[in-house]
């Protein structure tokens, strides 16, 4: 089914088709957007800074273990040096994280309809997260000086094998006019508010 409203948003054709296929026949599109790829990639810069000493030390240790540093003829073991290769690979992976985040952002769409909020990512497989209007809440809003920002719709907590607790924020990141989008989310949620349910956290 054709949805002319999507024509107002500059989505890649395959991402636009994915959005259209996910919406119900009577579902009205209210807003759609994408994360800022540059801003999403910029969030990973601290990881890149950490990767510099990590990778540098891993390379130095591996070359030393292989006997490629120091005086000529110094002994080394290629088998022992191989233990350093995974650490070099981890460092290179950290260097690549901003590029990967940039690429994912280009393949991500944020959508608000009168029934739900949607986060849709496409690639080898599609990944969709939906927040029904009757459970939709703006937990937090972060606003930049230019009016862009983040809307946090959900938090997920997990515990690793060492017992360390980690909290992941889920929502719309790096979107323009974040205050207006937050207001729209609250309006959609209010229209489906269940009597007696606590009011939404201001966004």
């Amino acid at each position: 089914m054709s949805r002319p409203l999507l024509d107002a948003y500059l989505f890649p054709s395959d991402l636009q088709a994915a959005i259209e296929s996910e919406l119900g026949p009577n579902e009205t599109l209210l807003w759609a957007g994408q994360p800022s790829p540059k801003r999403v990639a910029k969030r990973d810069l601290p990881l890149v800074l950490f990767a510099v000493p990590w990778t540098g030390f891993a390379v130095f240790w591996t070359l030393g273990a292989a006997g490629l540093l120091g005086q000529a003829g110094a002994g080394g073991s290629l088998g022992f040096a191989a233990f350093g290769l995974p650490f070099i690979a981890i460092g290179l992976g950290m260097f690549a994280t901003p590029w990967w985040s940039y690429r994912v952002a280009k393949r991500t769409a944020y959508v608000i309809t009168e029934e739900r909020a949607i986060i849709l990512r496409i690639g080898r497989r599609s990944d969709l997260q939906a927040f029904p209007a009757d459970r939709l809440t703006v937990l937090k809003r972060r606003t930049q000086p230019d009016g862009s920002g983040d809307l946090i719709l959900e938090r997920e907590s997990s515990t690793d094998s060492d017992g360390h607790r980690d909290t992941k924020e889920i929502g719309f990141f790096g979107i323009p006019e974040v205050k207006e989008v937050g207001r729209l989310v609250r309006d959609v949620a209010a229209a489906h508010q269940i009597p007696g349910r606590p009011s939404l956290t201001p966004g």
Side-chain angles (χ1 to χ4, degrees), residues 49-80:
L49 295 178
F50 178 76
V52 173
W54 172 287
T55 309
F57 176 78
V59 170
F60 180 83
W61 184 93
T62 302
L63 293 177
L68 300 178
L69 298 177
Q71 296 180 350
S77 169
L78 293 179
F80 186 53

Side-chain angles (χ1 to χ4, degrees), residues 23-133:
L23 299 183
N26 299 315
E27 195 169 7
T28 301
L29 176 69
L30 303 178
W31 177 88
Q34 288 188 274
S36 167
K38 291 182 179 179
R39 186 176 166 201
V40 170
K42 188 177 180 180
R43 289 189 308 173
D44 294 324
L45 290 182
L47 185 62
V48 173
L49 295 178
F50 178 76
V52 173
W54 172 287
T55 309
F57 176 78
V59 170
F60 180 83
W61 184 93
T62 302
L63 293 177
L68 300 178
L69 298 177
Q71 296 180 350
S77 169
L78 293 179
F80 186 53
F83 284 104
L85 297 181
F87 295 95
I88 295 175
I90 291 172
L92 295 177
M94 287 189 285
F95 277 116
T97 298
W99 172 84
W100 181 255
S101 297
Y102 184 96
R103 185 174 181 273
V104 171
K106 297 283 285 184
R107 312 290 288 174
T108 299
Y110 300 140
V111 178
I112 300 174
T113 74
E114 85 288 359
E115 298 178 7
R116 54 183 175 157
I118 298 171
I119 302 174
L120 175 64
R121 297 181 181 89
I122 63 172
R124 293 184 178 178
R125 62 180 179 83
S126 294
D127 178 22
L128 182 139
Q129 292 174 283
F131 306 86

Side-chain angles (χ1 to χ4, degrees), residues 179-192:
K179 186 175 181 179
E180 295 302 318
V181 178
R183 183 177 294 115
L184 177 59
V185 168
R186 294 198 306 274
D187 289 345
V188 169
H192 293 76

